[in-house]
Amino acid sequence: MPREITGFSNPLVKRVRGLRDKKNRRREGLFLAEGLRILAEAEEAGFLPVMLFYAGGSASHPIARRLIAATEAAGGDVIETSADILHKLSGKDNPQTVIGVYPERLTPLDAIDRGGADIWIVAQSLRDPGNLGTILRTGDAVGAGGLILVDDCVDPFSVEAVRASMGALFTQKIAATRWDAFIGWLRAGPGQLVGTSLNTAQDYQAPRYAAPTFILVGNEAHGLPPAYEAECDLLVKMPMLGKADSLNAAVATAVMAYEVLNQRRR
Amino acid sequence: MPREITGFSNPLVKRVRGLRDKKNRRREGLFLAEGLRILAEAEEAGFLPVMLFYAGGSASHPIARRLIAATEAAGGDVIETSADILHKLSGKDNPQTVIGVYPERLTPLDAIDRGGADIWIVAQSLRDPGNLGTILRTGDAVGAGGLILVDDCVDPFSVEAVRASMGALFTQKIAATRWDAFIGWLRAGPGQLVGTSLNTAQDYQAPRYAAPTFILVGNEAHGLPPAYEAECDLLVKMPMLGKADSLNAAVATAVMAYEVLNQRRR
């Protein structure tokens, strides 16, 4: 049976609210996901929350009912609470009616089966959580296997990244590593490393991409370091007809990923 | 000569800080843009700030020196100030070293020369300022003429939208209108209205797009209303191979816009 928590000072409320901070996520190995849509995506991908908070009135929604039942059946902690406490947990003015707490799920690089997908996305020193989440969402759409985070990227389990991923956080593999380790792993098997860069004249539609294609995008402000570009099998760029010299990182990743996908499906 | 302001309670500091709120922007017809890169893009596009705030030490940067001189020559108010006050103006933890105040520049729909570009982007009830700014940035890159905002979109002059546009706010025409007025204007001249939608089987790479192409994207959560989809000359969708059923709105716009551009340049 769900239990009820209505007190703001309840220790569990404080602890779960603390998961909005990276240091608490790291210590607990847990993160927050919000909203029926994302929690339902997680369930479809085989992930149930270890804790599920829901607003009293929302239990009448069929998806909420299903999530509550499945979480209880799996031994999770199901907690009925108020809209005010959901607001406190999520930090949003219009909080979702359900919030789930999930174990963080990074995949070790060595456990990634590169043959399992034709496209992999590699991001280096990505700083914006919205970009990271959006790249996961795009990865899901193009049938990518996952996202490999290189060097100092923003936390993929931040509330903003989870939100922007719209559930793709649960369907894409996510690995976090350093550049040398990534290159060592990459070169031990098949894989074409394609960097998006401003330092090339090669149009992104010119090459025929080989599977598995590893699409490499760099930091929002600085792009890829020269040594990383030198390691790429191909450097390509999108046409830029205007005054600006670059695209948003998540946009560049998507335009590139759809080109690779379009070549595969021709 | 630049004047110096160091007091937090200075009325001009309060007034400019107030431009972070939409109601003050509307009343004053002014908005904020931050950072050397964006202000330099604005200058290149022919726009100088009516007020320019800069941190004392930053005047040694050649771009800052050029902006200061050009703004003064044009009769603008140039104000040397402190990092603390720039922080107060921008609301960012690491404020940029220059902040400009510009007149809002919406273009009336009737003043838009649709023949001036092959691509126009139309957004309906777009809610996220980051998406709006990113769409402007993409529009600049694909050589679009501008962005037509239909119905209740987020303010294109919000600090977040300006920041995400990376200066494209100054190079893209921006119009704001209602659906009926937009359709009336559109149908009075040439133009193919292409809606991105989940309610179609037509792949986005199948049609040959005709210039000028008006790419229509809907609200982030709800997509386009059925009546708006019915008005489109074409409805298309991107392949979605994963669990999710949609892309981020700015990503979908970019994937679509690059397809139209790629057809043109073949």
Side-chain angles (χ1 to χ4, degrees):
Chain A
M1 278 293 290
R3 57 191 177 121
E4 198 175 341
I5 292 181
T6 54
F8 271 72
S9 55
N10 181 286
L12 189 63
V13 170
K14 286 191 172 170
R15 182 178 152 217
V16 170
R17 180 186 157 88
L19 295 177
R20 286 160 55 190
D21 289 336
K22 183 175 173 178
K23 68 175 195 305
N24 294 323
R25 289 195 295 272
R26 253 348 67 81
R27 197 182 57 235
E28 300 237 29
L30 297 171
F31 70 98
L32 294 170
E34 308 163 71
L36 279 179
R37 185 166 163 180
I38 292 181
L39 270 60
E41 292 266 1
E43 188 199 3
E44 261 186 66
F47 299 95
L48 286 167
V50 292
M51 288 177 235
L52 177 66
F53 293 80
Y54 69 97
S58 66
S60 59
H61 193 293
I63 298 179
R65 274 210 307 271
R66 200 185 67 209
L67 278 167
I68 290 167
T71 303
E72 288 200 310
D77 195 0
V78 178
I79 298 134
E80 181 175 336
T81 188
S82 65
D84 281 351
I85 286 183
L86 288 171
H87 167 66
K88 184 172 175 178
L89 294 179
S90 82
K92 279 180 86 172
D93 282 344
N94 297 302
Q96 302 278 355
T97 55
V98 293
I99 294 181
V101 176
Y102 294 84
E104 293 188 343
R105 42 176 298 280
L106 283 177
T107 302
L109 197 55
D110 289 340
I112 283 189
D113 169 22
R114 71 181 77 194
D118 284 349
I119 300 176
W120 295 86
I121 300 174
V122 187
Q124 182 261 334
S125 296
L126 201 73
R127 301 311 302 163
D128 184 88
N131 281 343
L132 195 154
T134 301
I135 287 173
L136 284 168
R137 186 177 178 185
T138 300
D140 175 88
V142 298
L147 175 61
I148 299 169
L149 301 171
V150 168
D151 298 346
D152 297 312
C153 288
V154 66
D155 184 12
F157 300 106
S158 73
V159 171
E160 297 80 7
V162 174
R163 201 178 277 158
S165 86
M166 291 298 286
L169 188 91
F170 294 100
T171 60
Q172 293 282 290
K173 299 249 188 269
I174 305 173
T177 186
R178 311 298 302 181
W179 178 254
D180 290 347
F182 167 68
I183 288 296
W185 172 82
L186 179 72
R187 298 311 185 194
Q192 185 183 46
L193 184 62
V194 181
T196 58
S197 168
L198 309 176
N199 305 316
T200 178
Q202 172 138 268
D203 191 279
Y204 82 115
Q205 292 202 298
R208 296 303 93 179
Y209 298 108
T213 312
F214 290 81
I215 298 171
L216 175 62
V217 288
N219 170 266
E220 288 93 341
H222 306 295
L224 293 167
Y228 294 18
E229 293 194 342
E231 183 65 49
C232 289
D233 299 308
L234 287 171
L235 284 182
V236 296
K237 71 168 178 186
M238 291 86 191
M240 304 284 303
L241 306 190
K243 300 276 185 191
D245 61 358
S246 69
L247 292 165
N248 164 277
V251 161
T253 305
V255 171
M256 184 66 214
Y258 267 93
E259 174 61 22
V260 176
L261 173 61
N262 288 336
Q263 290 192 12
R264 296 278 144 76
R265 66 198 189 108
R266 271 204 285 271
Chain B
M1 279 293 290
R3 57 191 175 119
E4 197 175 341
I5 292 181
T6 53
F8 270 73
S9 55
N10 181 288
L12 188 63
V13 170
K14 286 191 172 171
R15 182 179 152 216
V16 170
R17 180 186 157 88
L19 295 177
R20 287 159 56 189
D21 289 336
K22 182 175 173 179
K23 68 173 195 306
N24 294 324
R25 289 195 295 273
R26 253 348 68 82
R27 197 182 58 233
E28 300 237 28
L30 296 172
F31 70 98
L32 295 170
E34 306 163 72
L36 279 179
R37 186 167 163 180
I38 292 181
L39 269 61
E41 292 265 3
E43 188 198 4
E44 261 186 64
F47 299 95
L48 285 167
V50 293
M51 287 178 237
L52 177 65
F53 292 80
Y54 70 97
S58 67
S60 59
H61 194 293
I63 298 179
R65 276 210 306 271
R66 199 184 70 209
L67 279 167
I68 290 167
T71 303
E72 288 200 309
D77 195 359
V78 178
I79 298 133
E80 181 176 337
T81 189
S82 65
D84 280 352
I85 286 183
L86 287 172
H87 167 66
K88 184 171 173 177
L89 294 179
S90 83
K92 278 180 88 172
D93 283 342
N94 297 302
Q96 301 277 355
T97 55
V98 293
I99 294 181
V101 177
Y102 294 84
E104 293 188 344
R105 43 176 298 279
L106 284 175
T107 302
L109 196 55
D110 288 339
I112 283 188
D113 168 24
R114 71 181 78 194
D118 285 349
I119 300 176
W120 295 86
I121 300 174
V122 187
Q124 183 261 332
S125 296
L126 201 72
R127 300 311 302 163
D128 183 89
N131 282 343
L132 194 154
T134 301
I135 288 173
L136 283 168
R137 186 177 178 184
T138 299
D140 174 88
V142 298
L147 176 61
I148 299 170
L149 302 171
V150 169
D151 298 347
D152 297 312
C153 288
V154 66
D155 184 11
F157 301 105
S158 74
V159 171
E160 297 79 7
V162 174
R163 201 177 278 160
S165 86
M166 290 298 287
L169 189 90
F170 295 99
T171 60
Q172 293 283 290
K173 299 248 187 270
I174 304 173
T177 186
R178 310 298 302 180
W179 178 253
D180 289 348
F182 167 68
I183 288 296
W185 172 82
L186 178 73
R187 298 311 185 195
Q192 185 182 45
L193 185 60
V194 181
T196 57
S197 168
L198 309 176
N199 305 316
T200 177
Q202 172 139 268
D203 190 280
Y204 82 116
Q205 291 202 300
R208 295 303 92 179
Y209 298 108
T213 313
F214 290 81
I215 298 172
L216 175 63
V217 287
N219 171 265
E220 288 93 340
H222 306 295
L224 293 167
Y228 294 19
E229 293 195 341
E231 183 65 48
C232 289
D233 299 308
L234 286 171
L235 284 182
V236 296
K237 71 167 176 186
M238 291 86 190
M240 304 285 302
L241 306 190
K243 300 276 185 191
D245 61 358
S246 68
L247 292 165
N248 164 277
V251 161
T253 306
V255 171
M256 185 65 213
Y258 266 93
E259 174 61 23
V260 176
L261 173 62
N262 289 335
Q263 290 192 12
R264 295 278 143 74
R265 65 197 190 109
R266 270 204 284 272

